[in-house]
């Protein structure tokens, strides 16, 4: 029996590539995390558009705890089993009434991970609604072949290269995934997804956490790292990341520099342009 997800939710995930959101954080917990994030932004001169957006669990203790949240890991275990690596975490923030959007894409097209079992968790620290630009999914697209992508480098596209699926998308088939503050939604590695701009009066703040089983391999780099968050790693394909003792633990900060640079090399591998967007 699943620990958190219902059997119907697990079946929907297998069939459609996502399952309904579930309650993860109490309102005060979500508010505390948002407060910690926005205090960091205030201290460092505004919304983070730099290296701190990626693998924040190596820098901030509250994110370290979040990627290890037992209820979240129980839900992920319902889908991929008891041995779990966290490959990365990343903030996805759309400011109120901004033009930023995410084009249709498949993460599996450019992360180099040779698994079909990577699960992305979207944790909402503010409401992700149709108005605020919630994610849109193409049900069942994770079961078909990799779709063709092209690079657009559009300024308002939040993706690294402005990459977008160039064929095979019918907007009429898309579904909106609204996620309330404190909820988490899970979706599959190969699922085609996108999101519209934020037309609301509040920031849309989400944290995406990528989980995978230890038998996954990185095909675009000779070295990669991940955090073991549950169970065992009997394969050793990824170097295990250190756990920070405090915010901006010097040891973890140095490690973060190395693994964040490597992450960028992977996601820009084979790009038609050499400059990297943050």
């Amino acid at each position: 029996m699943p620990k958190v997800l219902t059997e119907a939710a697990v079946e929907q995930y297998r069939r459609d590539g996502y399952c309904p959101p579930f309650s993860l954080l109490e309102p005060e917990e979500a508010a505390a995390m948002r407060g910690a994030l926005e205090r960091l932004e205030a201290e460092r001169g505004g919304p983070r558009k730099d290296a701190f957006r990626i693998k924040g669990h190596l820098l901030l203790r509250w994110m370290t705890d979040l990627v290890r949240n037992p209820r979240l890991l129980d839900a992920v275990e319902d889908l991929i089993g008891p041995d779990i690596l966290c490959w990365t975490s990343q903030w996805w923030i759309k400011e109120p009434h901004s033009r930023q959007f995410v084009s249709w894409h498949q993460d599996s097209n450019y992360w180099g991970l040779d698994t079909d079992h990577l699960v992305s968790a979207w944790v909402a620290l503010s409401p992700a609604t149709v108005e605020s630009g919630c994610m849109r999914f193409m049900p069942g697209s994770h079961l078909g072949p990799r779709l063709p992508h092209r690079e657009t480098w559009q300024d308002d596209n939040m993706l690294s290269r402005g990459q977008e699926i160039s064929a095979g998308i019918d907007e009429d088939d898309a579904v909106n995934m609204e996620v309330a503050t404190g909820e988490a939604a899970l979706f599959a590695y190969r699922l085609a997804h996108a999101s519209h701009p934020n037309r609301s009066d509040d920031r849309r703040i989400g944290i995406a956490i990528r989980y995978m089983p230890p038998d996954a391999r990185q095909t675009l780099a000779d070295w990669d790292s991940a955090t073991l968050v549950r169970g065992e790693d009997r394969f050793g394909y990824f170097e295990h990341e250190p756990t920070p003792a405090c915010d901006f633990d010097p040891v973890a900060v140095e490690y973060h520099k190395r693994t964040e640079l490597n992450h960028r090399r992977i996601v820009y591998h084979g790009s038609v342009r050499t400059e990297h967007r943050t």
Side-chain angles (χ1 to χ4, degrees), residues 1 10 18 30 32 36 42 67 69 81 85 102 123 128 136 153 163-165 191 208 213 216-217 238 244 254 256 260:
M1 292 290 292
V10 173
Y18 62 91
V67 302
N69 181 289
L85 294 174
V102 175
V123 180
R136 291 166 57 74
W153 296 91
Q163 58 264 42
E164 66 177 12
I165 293 172
L191 185 70
R217 288 179 180 265
F238 293 81
E254 286 304 310
H256 176 267
E260 188 272 339

Side-chain angles (χ1 to χ4, degrees), residues 55-120:
K55 288 184 179 274
H57 62 278
L58 297 181
L59 303 174
L60 302 169
R61 277 297 315 183
W62 66 269
M63 286 192 66
T64 302
D65 294 338
L66 178 61
V67 302
R68 291 175 169 80
N69 181 289
R71 181 168 172 80
L72 180 56
L73 294 181
D74 282 348
V76 173
E77 182 174 335
D78 289 340
L79 300 176
I80 65 172
D83 300 324
I84 305 172
L85 294 174
C86 172
W87 183 58
T88 194
S89 59
Q90 188 172 4
W91 306 330
W92 287 90
I93 302 174
K94 291 179 185 171
E95 300 299 333
H97 303 286
S98 72
R99 298 174 60 184
Q100 289 188 303
F101 70 99
V102 175
S103 53
W104 284 105
H105 68 288
Q106 294 170 300
D107 296 326
S108 58
N109 199 62
Y110 56 100
W111 287 356
L113 300 168
D114 72 344
T115 180
D116 289 326
H117 301 295
L118 184 144
V119 175
S120 287

Side-chain angles (χ1 to χ4, degrees), residues 18 104 136-139 169-176 192 196:
Y18 62 91
W104 284 105
R136 291 166 57 74
F137 294 151
M138 195 59 62
I169 293 295
D170 186 344
E171 286 278 356
D172 291 338
D173 294 333
V175 299
N176 293 309
H196 292 313

Side-chain angles (χ1 to χ4, degrees), residues 98-271:
S98 72
R99 298 174 60 184
Q100 289 188 303
F101 70 99
V102 175
S103 53
W104 284 105
H105 68 288
Q106 294 170 300
D107 296 326
S108 58
N109 199 62
Y110 56 100
W111 287 356
L113 300 168
D114 72 344
T115 180
D116 289 326
H117 301 295
L118 184 144
V119 175
S120 287
W122 173 274
V123 180
L125 300 188
S126 70
T129 64
V130 172
E131 184 183 22
S132 69
C134 67
M135 283 187 294
R136 291 166 57 74
F137 294 151
M138 195 59 62
S141 54
H142 65 304
L143 299 176
R146 179 181 295 181
L147 296 172
H149 287 63
R150 63 188 174 197
E151 299 178 8
T152 70
W153 296 91
Q154 292 172 290
D155 289 340
D156 293 321
N157 193 324
M158 298 178 74
L159 296 178
S160 54
R161 316 176 193 186
Q163 58 264 42
E164 66 177 12
I165 293 172
S166 56
I169 293 295
D170 186 344
E171 286 278 356
D172 291 338
D173 294 333
V175 299
N176 293 309
M177 177 54 69
E178 295 191 301
V179 188
T181 303
E183 288 186 336
L186 305 178
F187 62 98
Y189 184 32
R190 299 185 187 278
L191 185 70
H193 57 289
S195 66
H196 292 313
N198 181 3
R199 304 302 185 192
S200 76
D201 295 330
D202 191 16
R203 308 177 82 192
R204 193 215 63 171
I205 305 174
I207 299 176
I209 309 171
R210 320 298 184 174
Y211 295 108
M212 62 187 182
D215 63 353
R217 288 179 180 265
Q218 176 57 256
T219 65
L220 298 181
D222 294 332
W223 176 89
D224 203 355
S225 65
T227 295
L228 181 65
V229 291
R230 175 167 288 185
E232 298 179 75
D233 178 359
R234 293 184 292 273
F235 298 89
Y237 299 145
F238 293 81
E239 184 171 295
H240 290 183
E241 297 165 342
T243 301
C246 59
D247 286 356
F248 299 105
D249 178 337
V251 172
V253 167
E254 286 304 310
Y255 193 92
H256 176 267
K257 292 177 182 177
R258 179 187 180 200
T259 192
E260 188 272 339
L261 178 60
N262 188 64
H263 180 84
R264 292 187 181 280
R265 288 172 177 158
I266 289 167
V267 300
Y268 285 100
H269 180 87
S271 174

